[in-house]
């Protein structure tokens, strides 16, 4: 859950004494500061390009939706999230067409956006960072950052202790392996490189022209705007919200199968929830002033999260996110976790 409890994904599911500075000369420090500022400036320019291209294709976004889109793109490009769910800005199929057109035009202007891709699973639309998803789905990442699972098909919700004995977990693992095969880490780095000489030709396309990739999922060796992975779920029973819990980077994943949505709602509605909201604060290098934005939010039943941010999975999650911030400190300065209580009611929880 990021903004609403009614969406199938969003309800579940921002000189010291250490001795480092003193060794720099003033010129070296100035060069480092200039490098950081230049990096932040590239992301600022990227956001301006996206805004301009949205106007160019006449995608009339509400102010709140435009801000979410710009934030989500920045989260992807700076490595904070591998996947975001685009559940704003219109309805399918027009939403997919607008998103594809926006990427098509924006990628001609800034290479930062080249790793972004549109992903479709059933009637859900996602923006992904190809390399970010490859790393997220890799066996190394999955073994290092193990998820906490809750089986919502059981009448008593609790964190699973023996995940290898749970069929739904095993099914999720098999889907993760398919993603890992689809997006291997060793090849993801070089994807989405626009060839020299192509940009000028493509930029002359008329406004609102949609690439062939947006309509028939054709893939060429130059650019890949959209891929439909609905087939990943055709032979499985796992419900899409359960897959979303992992895809979108939540530390606690609710598990249930297709056909068990009603039981999942009933079981979850019996308990009050802790809503974990994650905020990130922009660096002063990005824009005139620091701003705090909601990165994501997710829920966990109160009785299994009594320690709130001190739960082992919560501490591990924040440590992992803090490391991601450090990798792009020219854009992000800090992260903050906020926890609030939501009195669960079945009528407002929709799978």
């Amino acid at each position: 859950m990021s903004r609403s409890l009614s969406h199938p994904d969003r309800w579940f599911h921002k000189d010291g004494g250490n001795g480092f500075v003193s060794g720099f000369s003033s010129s070296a420090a100035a060069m480092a500061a200039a490098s950081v500022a230049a990096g932040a400036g590239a992301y600022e320019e990227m956001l301006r390009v996206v805004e301009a291209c949205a106007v160019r294709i006449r995608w009339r976004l509400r102010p709140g939706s435009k801000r979410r889109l710009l934030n989500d793109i920045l989260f992807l490009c700076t490595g904070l999230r591998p996947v975001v769910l685009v559940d704003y800005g219109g309805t399918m199929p027009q939403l997919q067409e607008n998103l594809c057109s926006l990427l098509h035009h924006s990628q001609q202007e800034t290479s930062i956006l080249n790793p972004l891709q549109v992903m479709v699973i059933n009637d859900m639309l996602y923006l992904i960072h190809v390399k970010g998803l490859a790393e997220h789905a890799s066996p190394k990442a999955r073994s290092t950052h193990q998820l906490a699972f809750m089986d919502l098909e059981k009448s008593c919700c609790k964190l699973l202790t023996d995940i290898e004995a749970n069929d739904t977990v095993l099914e999720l693992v098999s889907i993760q392996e398919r993603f890992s095969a689809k997006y291997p880490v060793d090849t993801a780095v070089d994807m989405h490189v626009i060839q020299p000489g192509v940009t000028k030709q493509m930029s002359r396309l008329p406004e609102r022209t949609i690439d062939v990739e947006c309509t028939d999922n054709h893939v060429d060796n130059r650019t890949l705007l959209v891929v439909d992975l609905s087939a990943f779920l055709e032979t499985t029973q796992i419900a899409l919200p359960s897959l979303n819990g992992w895809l979108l980077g939540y530390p606690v994943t609710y598990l249930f199968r297709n056909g068990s949505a009603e039981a999942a709602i009933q079981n979850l509605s019996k308990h009050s929830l802790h809503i974990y909201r994650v905020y990130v604060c922009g660096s002063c290098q990005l824009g005139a002033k620091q701003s705090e934005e909601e990165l994501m939010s997710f829920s966990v039943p109160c009785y299994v999260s009594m320690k709130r941010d001190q739960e082992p999975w919560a501490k591990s999650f924040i440590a992992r996110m803090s490391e991601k911030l450090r990798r792009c400190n020219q854009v992000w300065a800090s992260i903050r976790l906020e926890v609030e209580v939501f009195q669960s009611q079945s009528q407002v929880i929709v799978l």
Side-chain angles (χ1 to χ4, degrees), residues 267-278:
N267 288 331
L268 194 62
S269 66
K270 296 174 183 177
H271 310 284
S272 297
L273 304 176
H274 275 144
I275 309 300
Y276 288 77
R277 300 189 187 279
V278 185

Side-chain angles (χ1 to χ4, degrees), residues 277-343:
R277 300 189 187 279
V278 185
Y279 296 92
V280 288
C281 186
S283 168
C284 59
Q285 301 290 343
L286 186 66
K289 62 180 181 180
Q290 290 183 326
S291 61
E292 190 175 65
E293 303 293 346
E294 184 177 330
L295 176 66
M296 68 172 72
S297 59
F298 54 91
S299 70
V300 183
C302 292
Y303 71 95
V304 295
S305 56
M306 300 296 291
K307 297 180 181 179
R308 298 189 172 219
D309 61 340
Q310 294 303 305
E311 292 288 346
W313 53 262
K315 294 169 69 175
S316 175
F317 170 74
I318 289 299
R320 185 162 70 252
M321 296 307 302
S322 296
E323 176 58 30
K324 290 184 176 183
L325 258 68
R326 283 191 288 271
R327 296 175 189 171
C328 200
N329 59 5
Q330 71 269 41
V331 176
W332 304 113
S334 61
I335 186 170
R336 180 175 67 88
L337 183 64
E338 182 179 281
V339 184
E340 62 183 78
V341 177
F342 173 75
Q343 300 296 330

